[in-house]
Amino acid sequence: MNDAAVERISAELIALLGSGRQVVPFTRRGVPFGLDEAYRIASRVADLRQALGQTPVGRKIGFTNRSIWAGLGIDAPIWNFVFDATVQDAVAGTGRIALSGMPEPRIEPEIALHLAADPAPGMTTGEVADCVDWAAPAFEIVYSIFPGWDFSAADAAAAYGVHGALIVGERMHLPQTGAARAGLISSISVELQSDRGQFRAGHAGNVLGGPIEALTFLVEELARYPVCPPLRAGELVTTGTLTEAMPGRPGEVWTARFDGAGLQPLHLRLE
């Protein structure tokens, strides 16, 4: 893909932000489009969003839960940036988010990790765990600019990583070190429930074996693509849904109750 095509698709993605519109997946437009092209576009879109006043504050890893791959036609995780404009802290364990401009939104209970040191390729899981100083319960709102959630991994990677918003709950500082810290985070389970009676249960082990394992994957994946900047201290990384992603509708209230590592319940009102 030449630079002109990267610019054209990046400009299209910027125009689609907040519009609620959907388009044909990039992989069905008769041009070569894989993860190499997707991450070139993700980098360019990040530049354009910064020009609009949005600052990257971390990354999201998508499709780390292998149990959802078959339903989406996905065969690998992806990543993209999260921005100060898309991340918010829950107040007293409760957040609110407007779904307008996000077609076919879904809600995902996740575990967010904060980096206190730079992780590097080749680190063991325990060494990566020592780069993390706190974990927090989180909800990610994801959405699809492609009708029916019908796309490839490369399409999703380019299209903001399907990221719409991240609501972060109470931070839990982690006293353990190394493999013990990774094991503690991987032991967390969750119950997701809406005020309309929808219920799903999940486990941190669903995300590539655990959130630290998912973070380790991301460190190695970023190193494979020269255009992808490495993770740095101070970044927030949300590691993927612990349950099936559930359709979200305005007026609903969702609650995620976590068991393990002292994570507190998180509530989210959809508007």
Side-chain angles (χ1 to χ4, degrees):
M1 179 175 288
N2 60 33
D3 290 345
V6 170
E7 287 296 322
R8 183 173 65 254
I9 293 175
S10 298
E12 180 180 355
L13 285 164
I14 290 295
L16 287 167
L17 270 176
S19 72
R21 293 187 290 115
Q22 294 177 299
V23 296
V24 174
F26 307 123
T27 51
R28 299 177 192 170
R29 298 186 184 185
V31 296
F33 200 92
L35 285 176
D36 286 287
E37 291 78 17
Y39 290 135
R40 286 176 64 194
I41 289 165
S43 178
R44 181 58 182 147
V45 169
D47 290 341
L48 295 171
R49 292 180 77 156
Q50 288 185 79
L52 295 173
Q54 300 183 20
T55 301
V57 295
R59 321 290 174 99
K60 64 81 47 88
I61 318 174
F63 311 130
T64 50
N65 189 332
R66 294 186 180 96
S67 68
I68 68 173
W69 286 4
L72 291 173
I74 295 294
D75 58 6
I78 60 158
W79 76 273
N80 208 303
F81 297 97
V82 299
F83 296 83
D84 57 357
T86 67
V87 177
Q88 63 173 261
D89 289 330
V91 177
T94 300
R96 308 169 74 96
I97 192 71
L99 299 178
S100 60
M102 292 189 280
E104 301 185 51
R106 298 183 181 184
I107 185 168
E108 300 182 342
E110 307 198 0
I111 296 172
L113 305 174
H114 182 263
L115 296 175
D118 300 351
M123 281 184 170
T124 66
T125 301
E127 289 169 335
V128 171
D130 283 337
C131 294
V132 176
D133 58 349
W134 56 258
F139 277 126
E140 186 180 17
I141 301 298
V142 294
Y143 70 99
S144 178
I145 63 168
F146 311 115
W149 282 80
D150 185 9
F151 47 65
S152 74
D155 291 315
Y160 334 115
V162 302
H163 171 71
L166 181 67
I167 297 85
V168 182
E170 184 176 340
R171 290 131 174 78
M172 180 67 187
H173 288 271
L174 303 170
Q176 297 88 345
T177 60
R181 177 177 289 180
L184 174 69
I185 299 172
S186 295
S187 71
I188 297 168
S189 60
V190 66
E191 292 184 344
L192 174 69
Q193 188 166 11
S194 78
D195 60 346
R196 299 181 183 180
Q198 298 159 294
F199 177 85
R200 294 291 186 276
H203 195 274
N206 291 342
V207 292
L208 299 183
I212 297 296
E213 287 79 2
L215 177 58
T216 303
F217 162 82
L218 179 59
V219 172
E220 300 293 340
E221 185 74 353
L222 293 173
R224 294 180 55 205
Y225 298 93
V227 72
C228 298
L231 291 167
R232 295 299 185 205
E235 289 198 58
L236 182 68
V237 179
T238 191
T239 53
T241 185
L242 277 57
T243 69
E244 174 190 356
M246 298 297 291
R249 301 173 182 84
E252 293 177 337
V253 177
W254 288 84
T255 298
R257 293 182 174 88
F258 297 82
D259 183 15
L263 294 189
Q264 297 302 302
L266 185 59
H267 312 277
L268 182 63
R269 178 176 294 277
L270 304 181
E271 300 176 341

